[in-house]
Amino acid sequence: MISRGDQIARRSVKNWGRVEVGNQTIERLLYSHEKDKDRKIETAFVEHRNDFLLVWRPISEPPSKWRPLYELRMTRDSTPRIVLPLRKTVTVEGVSLKLPQAELTIDPELRKHLSNLKAEPK
């Protein structure tokens, strides 16, 4: 639990951000924060679960929450009744394994933001 004093201190530091991760919102320190004014987005990365998470948000007032830039989705078998991952043979350290496949995709909200940006009259 974050103390009230820490919450106030975090809000006063410009580099703190609220990030949507799944169905929860977390507060994290932002690293390598950059604004792309032409595309009206901000990007950064945060520490999360002993790793780093790339995040983005549209430039807006008031500022919106940060969102993960990428999504990792399991490539599924098209069987309608049972959800099964498609598997692919992968060699790791000379050992062949049949592992579930996944694909890395750009956040759909970023795609929507950029699509709306293209549609804006100049």
Side-chain angles (χ1 to χ4, degrees):
M1 182 84 171
I2 300 170
S3 72
R4 181 74 180 137
D6 283 347
Q7 289 176 355
I8 291 167
R10 284 183 179 187
R11 287 193 190 108
S12 67
V13 175
K14 193 175 181 180
N15 290 356
W16 280 94
R18 297 173 61 83
V19 182
E20 287 182 22
V21 179
N23 59 357
Q24 65 179 345
T25 300
I26 59 174
E27 286 190 346
R28 292 291 187 269
L29 183 62
L30 300 167
Y31 297 95
S32 190
H33 178 220
E34 291 190 22
K35 289 184 180 183
D36 184 336
K37 292 183 180 179
D38 292 338
R39 289 163 187 81
K40 300 179 183 175
I41 66 169
E42 298 176 77
T43 57
F45 69 89
V46 297
E47 288 185 70
H48 181 59
R49 295 185 178 166
N50 297 322
D51 207 346
F52 296 102
L53 181 64
L54 299 166
V55 294
W56 80 280
R57 73 177 178 185
I59 295 175
S60 63
E61 283 298 327
S64 59
K65 291 180 185 173
W66 293 86
R67 296 177 50 89
L69 186 57
Y70 296 101
E71 292 183 353
L72 185 63
R73 299 222 181 244
M74 178 178 72
T75 308
R76 295 190 244 168
D77 190 350
S78 59
T79 308
R81 287 183 167 180
I82 302 170
V83 175
L84 295 171
L86 288 177
R87 295 185 174 266
K88 179 180 179 183
T89 302
V90 178
T91 303
V92 179
E93 294 292 324
V95 178
S96 291
L97 305 164
K98 205 160 191 171
L99 299 176
Q101 287 183 315
E103 64 181 349
L104 193 62
T105 61
I106 296 289
D107 177 37
E109 290 296 318
L110 177 56
R111 288 182 183 277
K112 190 165 124 182
H113 172 79
L114 295 174
S115 176
N116 291 340
L117 203 60
K118 282 190 341 190
E120 283 182 6
K122 293 187 177 185

